[in-house]
């Protein structure tokens, strides 16, 4: 079993995710293997993160600017974004 | 096949003219313009449009490519604004040019349906009683279902 | 709810602006513009559009009334030209303004389908090899069928 | 049985109907009871009319500016129009 390498990922937040967490983006160093693992890591940081990530059904995730899911692996990922369902048009 | 993000307003005639560019093989031009709609009680002060620079262009570009692969189009355009707008202002437009009206209509509706649910835009409403993010509508997500058969 | 017949060209932005007239209860504006399309071999010199003055206005007016009764529209417009036009020129437009895009799209397609087969217009093509009247397409007649269920 | 009264009707022709008959409109005095009867009357006038009305399936009729059919009665009708299927838009 390969040990999980530490990696640096740019994490972005939009709309009410940005407002709840309080910042638009940050560099995160993690050994999480999937988006879901990273979310659990972030949620334990403090109440703002815990609240922002409390209802995953209302959160969408983009991996390197492509819509994706919480099961997506983090290998070679440079940019992650979390946001509510989109409301353009 | 153009995608443009901008803060400033646009003019539908100017965009249509640029899209057609003097060509004479287009028989049908459909445009859709989304406009900031006030609430029934007139309480909407302004709308704020946030987007995800970089991903927005990619998402709109791939939605447009999908439309081009499904229908026979001569040209298409998506213009979407971001920033603050007041009721009555134009938010965005799509335009589709085709030989025949069926293709132009279907492609324009397809672009709108996908743009609504798959392009990273978020609207915040500022009203006389406070500010809040606009919720996505279940029917907008469901609207995508009707294009699945053609995939 | 306006119907206009004219020889001269029109400007889609100007028409849209007049249709919206500064109101802020419109969320969706769909316009369709019909354009003189050249033949693949470039042989079309001009198109001549004949109509039946008097009946045209009545027919378009009743088609528009039918659209208003079926969908929730804020405003609608039909402009149709007659006379001689060259490839690339605008022939006609419809515009539908509604709170929501579904209504605006459906009403615009409905107006076009009925206008094609139920309004007294006839096109004559002048080409490099002669002149002939454009035949009505069976699919234009069939297109009316899809609105029958909603009647 | 009432005898058919003579009546005057304005008859119009559009597109290739107009071209084949050679005039855009005319006043017709007739005792025909229906559009179809009037068409038969007109068809016997000369070759131009006979040719123009030879294929009824490709002719549409408007009675007082409303789309109608060949069975429509001519009572109180002021204006009739004959033309090919419409091709607007």
């Amino acid at each position: 079993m390969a040990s999980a390498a530490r990696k640096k990922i740019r994490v972005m937040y939009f709309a009410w995710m940005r407002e709840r967490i309080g910042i638009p983006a940050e560099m995160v160093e993690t050994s999480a293997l999937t988006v879901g693992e990273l979310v659990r890591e972030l949620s334990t940081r403090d109440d703002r993160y815990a609240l922002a990530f409390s209802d995953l059904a209302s959160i969408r995730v983009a991996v390197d600017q492509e819509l994706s899911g919480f099961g997506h692996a983090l290998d070679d990922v440079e940019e992650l974004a979390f946001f509510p369902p989109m409301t353009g048009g | 096949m153009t995608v443009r993000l901008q803060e400033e307003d646009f003019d539908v005639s100017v965009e249509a003219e640029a899209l057609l560019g003097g060509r004479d093989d287009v028989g049908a031009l459909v445009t859709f313009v989304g406009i900031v709609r006030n609430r029934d009680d007139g309480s909407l002060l302004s709308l704020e449009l946030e987007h995800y620079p970089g991903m927005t262009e990619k998402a709109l570009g791939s939605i447009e490519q999908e439309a081009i692969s499904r229908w026979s189009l001569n040209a298409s355009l998506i213009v979407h604004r971001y920033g603050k707008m007041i009721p009555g202002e134009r938010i965005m437009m799509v335009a589709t040019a085709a030989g025949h009206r069926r293709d132009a209509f279907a492609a324009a509706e397809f672009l709108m349906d996908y743009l609504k649910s798959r392009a990273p835009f978020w609207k915040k409403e500022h009203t006389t009683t406070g500010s809040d993010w606009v919720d996505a509508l279940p029917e907008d997500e469901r609207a995508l279902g009707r294009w699945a058969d053609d995939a």
Side-chain angles (χ1 to χ4, degrees), chain A, chain B:
Chain A
M1 229 170 95
S3 82
R6 299 288 287 176
K7 51 193 162 284
K8 281 187 173 171
I9 298 175
R10 178 175 162 82
V11 180
M12 304 178 78
Y13 310 105
F14 291 95
W16 54 251
M17 284 295 292
R18 174 179 50 73
E19 289 180 342
R20 288 184 193 173
I21 290 173
I23 49 171
E26 63 185 316
M27 289 305 296
V28 174
E29 206 180 324
T30 182
S31 51
L33 294 176
T34 64
V35 174
E37 282 184 31
L38 178 66
V39 165
R40 278 191 293 279
E41 245 180 61
L42 292 170
S43 298
T44 60
R45 279 187 174 180
D46 64 32
D47 286 353
R48 287 174 310 148
Y49 285 91
L51 175 69
F53 284 107
S54 61
D55 176 20
L56 291 191
S58 62
I59 298 173
R60 302 287 175 268
V61 58
V63 175
D64 286 330
Q65 305 193 346
E66 298 264 5
L67 278 175
S68 188
F70 290 97
H72 199 287
L74 290 185
D75 315 310
D76 305 320
V77 167
E78 295 182 358
E79 187 173 298
L80 267 187
F82 296 102
F83 42 77
M86 294 149 280
T87 54
Chain B
M1 315 296 167
T2 312
V3 166
R4 227 169 62 226
L5 279 291
Q6 60 188 47
E7 270 196 272
E8 60 274 18
D9 192 15
F10 52 83
D11 180 297
V12 178
S13 288
V14 171
E15 300 298 342
E17 217 58 51
L19 191 71
L20 298 177
R23 61 196 295 171
D24 67 1
D25 58 346
V26 170
L29 173 72
V30 169
T31 67
F32 175 91
V33 179
I35 299 165
V36 182
R37 187 166 56 94
N38 210 331
R39 294 173 170 207
D40 289 345
D41 63 1
S43 62
L44 184 68
L45 301 174
S46 67
L47 193 76
E48 214 178 314
L49 235 141
E50 180 172 339
H51 77 115
Y52 180 174
M55 177 172 169
T56 314
E57 290 85 344
K58 279 170 92 166
L60 294 179
S62 73
I63 293 167
E64 214 178 17
Q65 277 306 318
E66 179 67 25
I68 290 163
S69 75
R70 287 177 179 227
W71 292 280
S72 183
L73 298 179
N74 296 115
S76 65
L77 169 74
I78 302 174
V79 180
H80 208 301
R81 296 175 64 194
Y82 54 88
K84 213 160 192 168
M85 291 154 236
I86 61 169
E89 273 195 79
R90 282 174 284 270
I91 304 169
M92 52 77 64
M93 71 171 284
V94 306
T96 52
H100 303 280
R101 74 184 188 284
R102 284 278 159 263
D103 289 314
F105 269 118
E109 278 209 80
F110 174 90
L111 289 177
M112 284 309 303
D113 281 354
Y114 271 80
L115 190 154
K116 277 266 169 193
S117 302
R118 293 290 182 268
F121 291 104
W122 303 274
K123 287 185 186 128
K124 190 175 195 175
E125 288 185 335
H126 300 287
T127 74
T128 49
T129 56
S131 297
D132 212 351
W133 293 93
V134 173
D135 282 329
L137 297 172
E139 67 245 40
D140 282 333
E141 187 61 35
R142 279 198 304 271
L144 300 185
R146 67 177 173 144
W147 304 109
D149 292 338
D150 310 323

